[in-house]
Amino acid sequence: MKSTKNKIVDRNSLHSIVQGWKKEGKKVVFTNGCFDILHLGHVDYLEKARQRGDKLVLGLNTDLSVKRLKGENRPLNDQYARARLLASLAFVDALTYFDEDTPYELIKELKPDILVKGNDYLAENIVGADIVIANGGKVETIALVEGFSTSNIIEKIKKQS
């Protein structure tokens, strides 16, 4: 079996990989997030995202960007640990890190065919939607599993300790 850590690639390599998939006629789906504590909500969301196309590419927030977005005590799991867990999922085809607060530049580099986020976002407010639409792609939202979030898990642990 091929090592799943090979799915974690730098941005330049990912660009080449995505271009190759597109030349083969594959539909490339992109999503992003922190994925600090992997849970059912994440797995369900990513599996549904992959069903929108042929390949799923994931932009993963670096530790520094998670800290800026979520606060000083986050992430609980470092970026490599998060990336390895995500790479082990059969429906994640490739992932890379991004250090910016949003994946706008990464989306601009990759130009995915389909951009997805959870339905807690309005499609028109999703970062990078303008790029994807301008390149003939689609922006879609996916229903999230109720009651699952890393913040909820952290709160539950705090209450039980």
Side-chain angles (χ1 to χ4, degrees):
M1 188 176 99
K2 188 174 145 187
S3 175
T4 59
K5 68 182 169 188
N6 293 335
K7 292 182 185 179
I8 306 165
V9 296
D10 64 61
R11 283 166 81 148
N12 287 337
S13 298
L14 183 58
H15 182 265
S16 296
I17 292 166
V18 167
Q19 293 313 307
W21 288 336
K22 287 178 159 208
K23 282 181 183 153
E24 294 171 4
K26 307 271 192 232
K27 290 282 179 212
V28 178
V29 180
F30 177 89
T31 194
N32 67 282
C34 300
F35 303 98
D36 196 0
I37 300 175
L38 195 60
H39 55 70
L40 174 63
H42 291 141
V43 171
D44 185 77
Y45 167 76
L46 292 170
E47 185 174 40
K48 287 175 180 169
R50 174 59 161 72
Q51 291 168 354
R52 302 293 204 274
D54 302 306
K55 298 289 184 179
L56 177 61
V57 174
L58 186 61
L60 185 65
N61 291 78
T62 61
D63 292 345
L64 285 174
S65 69
V66 173
K67 209 171 273 308
R68 286 193 307 271
L69 295 168
K70 304 282 186 178
E72 198 53 40
N73 294 325
R74 299 277 298 277
L76 298 175
N77 291 302
D78 69 40
Q79 64 195 39
Y80 184 70
R82 292 181 285 123
R84 281 298 303 271
L85 283 170
L86 291 160
S88 74
L89 298 173
F91 37 80
V92 173
D93 295 291
L95 66 96
T96 196
Y97 304 109
F98 69 97
D99 197 41
E100 304 86 353
D101 289 345
T102 73
Y104 192 81
E105 291 302 317
L106 181 56
I107 293 167
K108 199 158 102 177
E109 291 165 24
L110 300 176
K111 295 179 184 66
D113 300 297
I114 304 159
L115 174 62
V116 297
K117 286 297 278 180
N119 65 352
D120 51 341
Y121 287 84
L122 292 172
E124 58 269 22
N125 295 338
I126 295 172
V127 168
D130 57 332
I131 296 165
V132 173
I133 292 166
N135 283 285
K138 295 188 295 189
V139 179
E140 299 181 13
T141 59
I142 294 174
L144 299 175
V145 178
E146 288 294 317
F148 285 91
S149 76
T150 299
S151 299
N152 288 351
I153 292 170
I154 291 169
E155 285 309 308
K156 189 175 181 180
I157 292 168
K158 284 180 181 175
K159 285 179 184 168
Q160 290 179 358
S161 59

